[in-house]
Amino acid sequence: MTDPEIRLAQLWSLDNPPARDPAFAHAVTARIERRRLLWVWLERAAVAAAALAVAWAAWPFVSRELLGAAPLLAVAAAAGLAIWSVDLTFERLALGGYEDFTRDLASE
Amino acid sequence: MNANPLVGDLDIGLVEAARRGSDAAFEKIVARHQKAVRGFLRRLGGDPADADDLAQETFVAAWRELDRFRAQSSLRSWLCGIAYRKRLGQRRSQRRASERDAAFAAASALGGDAADAGDRLDLARAMADLPLEQRAAVSLCLAADFSHAEAAVALKLPLGTVKSHVARGRGKLLAALSRDGGEHDRS
């Protein structure tokens, strides 16, 4: 190898990222989990939109019965919303990988 | 059994596990190949932080497209191929001048001793003067230990073109380094 070749190799080695970089790996994991969560939200939004469309189409035929059962339906809707919120919250905590992250840090 | 010697059995195992949904396997893939992908993107020019950001996006894309990996090449050349195409997409929205500014900023920010800083700046300038395809071939084959065949797969170029890019790029970089080295010595 000539001097410039050796110098070139030395200079390139200065640009090398570390062989092991947990912060980078965690950043990638966090991005992936955010995409996953986004997909979950999009899927649920699509289901909700479809349900809304069905309800809108069916409304003229079922309005009398539904209005009669309005108090019961309100309670059921509130309970459903609460369950969904709790589910999403725990899902988000799990997807965030906070426990994994702290465990990894402790083991290093 | 792995028929392709370019693809490590460990990588194949990790890819298969990741395809089955193992996050731990994908994290190992990231850990094993982050250095190659980040180093490649950094050498293509621009701000190292932007290069790392693009490297993260590369791994997210790889996670999404893992089913498309056919083990006809090494995993790292497949990943660098994704990185290169992302970089090409990003480049379309940038001007060459901003690339040179970023290369200057990167070389300045990296520190080190004065001789290193001067030579790194010269190298960054010389790399910025190479066409992107040539820069990519040089980055893979000279700066990293990719074979010409691996680089050809990653860059989706004919093998002969890669060899010619590497030879020409190497010549230009060595010439720039010798010339600028002489100037540094005189100053």
Side-chain angles (χ1 to χ4, degrees):
Chain A
M1 271 183 133
T2 64
D3 281 350
E5 277 176 322
I6 293 167
R7 188 69 186 133
L8 196 56
Q10 284 172 344
L11 291 172
W12 267 324
S13 72
L14 294 173
D15 278 338
N16 274 335
R20 192 170 174 277
D21 190 348
F24 180 85
H26 280 299
V28 172
T29 305
R31 280 192 191 211
I32 288 173
E33 300 308 347
R34 277 198 293 273
R35 302 287 161 95
R36 268 190 190 146
L37 194 65
L38 182 67
W39 274 110
V40 169
W41 275 94
L42 287 175
E43 277 174 14
R44 290 183 184 184
V47 169
L52 202 65
V54 169
W56 181 79
W59 180 251
F61 309 103
V62 295
S63 58
R64 186 176 297 170
E65 289 77 6
L66 285 179
L67 287 173
L72 190 64
L73 284 174
V75 171
L81 196 62
I83 290 168
W84 190 33
S85 303
V86 169
D87 174 44
L88 270 184
T89 305
F90 279 105
E91 196 169 315
R92 184 165 199 158
L93 284 176
L95 286 176
Y98 179 73
E99 288 171 2
D100 290 346
F101 180 67
T102 49
R103 194 178 55 231
D104 286 353
L105 282 182
S107 68
E108 277 164 14
Chain B
M1 188 66 192
N2 174 24
N4 188 334
L6 285 176
V7 189
D9 284 339
L10 180 57
D11 278 341
I12 291 286
L14 289 173
V15 167
E16 282 172 2
R19 277 177 181 157
R20 288 194 299 269
S22 166
D23 288 344
F26 192 77
E27 279 174 30
K28 280 184 186 155
I29 290 174
V30 174
R32 276 169 63 77
H33 297 290
Q34 56 89 19
K35 186 179 172 186
V37 174
R38 291 165 76 191
F40 171 57
L41 287 168
R42 285 182 184 189
R43 289 181 193 107
L44 286 185
D47 179 29
D50 287 345
D52 282 0
D53 188 62
L54 204 57
Q56 289 180 17
E57 278 306 310
T58 297
F59 282 107
V60 173
W63 168 74
R64 231 175 24 232
E65 298 171 13
L66 213 50
D67 287 337
R68 293 191 194 173
F69 176 65
R70 292 280 173 265
Q72 288 157 346
S73 62
S74 64
L75 183 58
R76 68 176 185 165
S77 64
W78 183 70
L79 290 167
C80 285
I82 296 174
Y84 180 60
R85 282 177 285 287
K86 287 207 164 284
R87 182 68 174 77
L88 277 178
Q90 189 189 50
R91 187 171 177 261
R92 284 182 200 112
S93 61
Q94 286 180 340
R95 297 184 70 83
R96 196 174 175 84
S98 69
E99 253 177 52
R100 288 184 192 217
D101 290 347
F104 178 85
S108 309
L110 286 168
D113 63 40
D116 277 352
D119 282 352
R120 291 176 88 176
L121 188 54
D122 294 334
L123 179 59
R125 278 185 189 143
M127 282 289 274
D129 280 337
L130 299 181
L132 185 62
E133 223 173 58
Q134 208 169 76
R135 210 183 315 162
V138 163
S139 299
L140 291 176
C141 297
L142 296 184
D145 58 344
F146 279 60
S147 66
H148 289 128
E150 274 184 294
V153 170
L155 305 177
K156 291 193 174 169
L157 291 173
L159 185 59
T161 308
V162 170
K163 285 180 179 173
S164 134
H165 277 329
V166 172
R168 284 181 191 165
R170 179 175 165 277
K172 287 178 193 170
L173 292 180
L174 289 178
L177 217 53
S178 309
R179 187 176 57 242
D180 294 328
E183 283 168 14
H184 290 312
D185 292 344
R186 280 192 300 278
S187 59

